[in-house]
């Protein structure tokens, strides 16, 4: 939502502080792709974390740590965020900024491909799982999220609109198909209360039923 409404919402509810601004500037200079979540998505994640008193968060797709910093700032001091990242250079950048943010005690960056790291987490229980890595395997990431979430936990996915490509029947690339199938499953799963919120690029949210 790069428009007047989006700017109004971000200006009121989701202002970035100097550290988040510096992170994005340095990420640009370092050649990291400019694909961190939007500030309104960061604020929405904080709201969800606060609403359910989340203490254990799993993120898939760290990049430079921008979304991890938004989320970790909403955690209590004993809260923990584990974030998975395939690219060692992205992980190193993120670790540096998490330290600058004073959040390195709360956040662990684990390097590897998500589908190789997720099996080691089997048996753990997370309050919130944020999916923001590659899009083609999103249906599989959803299965993992539902396996790793506690009842009442929340799964969130960024880029749920893919710049509008999910609406375009001619867009059949594996990434768009992955997002579409994820959205269909999220919407239809009887265990979930779900919605797609039209932030900047769409944030899909599902709450796992307690029953
Ligand atoms: N959540 C970040 C943005 C993530 S961009 C933020 O908002 O700040 C997507 C990231 O996922 C990239 O850093 C990319 O290297 C990583 N990624 C892509 N495929 C992956 C995979 N299969 N396993 C782990 N990380 C992956
Ligand atoms: C892209 C954007 C994202 O926000 C993301 O998480 C992954 C990929 C992209 O535009 O390619
Ligand atoms: Mg994203």
């Amino acid at each position: 939502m790069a428009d007047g409404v989006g700017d109004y919402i971000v200006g009121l509810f989701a202002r970035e502080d100097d550290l988040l601004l510096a992170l994005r500037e340095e990420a640009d200079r370092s050649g990291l792709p400019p694909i961190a979540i939007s500030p309104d998505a960061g604020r929405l994640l904080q709201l969800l974390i606060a609403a359910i008193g989340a203490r254990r968060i799993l993120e898939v797709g760290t990049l430079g740590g921008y979304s991890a910093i938004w989320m970790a700032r909403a955690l209590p001091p004993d809260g923990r965020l584990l974030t998975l990242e395939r690219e060692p250079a992205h992980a190193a950048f993120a670790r540096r900024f998490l330290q600058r943010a004073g959040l390195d005690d709360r956040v662990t960056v684990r390097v590897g491909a998500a589908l190789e790291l997720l099996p080691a987490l089997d048996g753990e229980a997370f309050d919130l799982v944020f999916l923001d890595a590659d899009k083609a395997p999103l249906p599989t990431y959803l299965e993992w999220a539902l396996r790793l979430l506690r009842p009442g936990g929340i799964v969130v996915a960024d880029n749920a609109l893919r710049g509008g490509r999910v609406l375009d029947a001619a867009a059949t690339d594996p990434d768009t198909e992955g997002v579409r199938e994820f959205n269909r499953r999220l919407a239809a799963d009887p265990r979930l209360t779900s919605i797609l919120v039209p932030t900047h690029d769409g944030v899909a949210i599902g709450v796992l039923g307690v029953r």
Side-chain angles (χ1 to χ4, degrees):
M1 220 192 280
D3 53 24
V5 172
D7 291 346
Y8 176 77
I9 294 169
V10 169
L12 258 185
F13 291 96
R15 286 190 175 279
E16 294 171 311
D17 67 351
D18 289 344
L19 184 104
L20 289 171
L21 285 169
L23 190 162
R24 284 207 289 111
E25 279 163 22
E26 210 171 302
D28 285 347
R29 277 202 303 276
S30 307
L32 263 63
I35 56 174
I37 57 166
S38 55
D40 52 337
R43 192 63 174 153
L44 179 56
L45 284 162
Q46 289 189 334
L47 180 152
L48 294 170
I49 292 162
I52 64 166
R55 289 171 175 278
R56 291 220 59 199
I57 299 174
L58 173 65
E59 174 178 65
V60 183
T62 316
L63 189 62
Y66 181 87
S67 53
I69 290 174
W70 273 101
M71 289 191 282
R73 282 177 169 172
L75 279 173
D78 65 342
R80 292 291 177 265
L81 188 156
L82 172 64
T83 179
L84 312 181
E85 172 55 53
R86 188 175 58 189
E87 298 297 329
H90 296 178
F93 183 104
R95 285 188 181 119
R96 199 153 48 77
F97 266 90
L98 286 160
Q99 194 168 13
R100 256 169 84 168
L103 294 167
D104 48 324
D105 57 334
R106 254 172 264 191
V107 182
T108 302
V109 185
R110 195 167 290 171
V111 178
L115 289 174
E116 284 166 26
L117 297 179
L118 284 165
L121 302 177
D122 211 9
E124 296 195 34
F126 293 90
D127 302 307
L128 187 140
V129 176
F130 178 49
L131 304 173
D132 193 21
D134 44 348
K135 308 308 176 193
L138 264 173
T140 307
Y141 293 154
L142 178 60
E143 285 173 16
W144 274 108
L146 295 175
R147 196 179 171 109
L148 297 174
L149 281 173
R150 61 142 164 109
I154 303 183
V155 55
V156 184
D158 185 40
N159 313 107
L161 293 171
R162 290 278 307 158
R165 285 194 291 286
V166 288
L167 317 180
D168 177 3
T172 56
D173 61 282
D175 291 346
T176 303
E177 292 287 18
V179 173
R180 263 197 210 109
E181 180 61 16
F182 176 90
N183 289 341
R184 276 194 294 262
R185 290 192 193 184
L186 196 77
D189 193 314
R191 294 168 293 177
L192 297 170
T193 303
S194 57
I195 190 65
L196 199 170
V197 182
T199 56
H200 178 69
D201 196 24
V203 174
I205 305 170
V207 183
L208 186 58
V210 178
R211 287 172 298 148

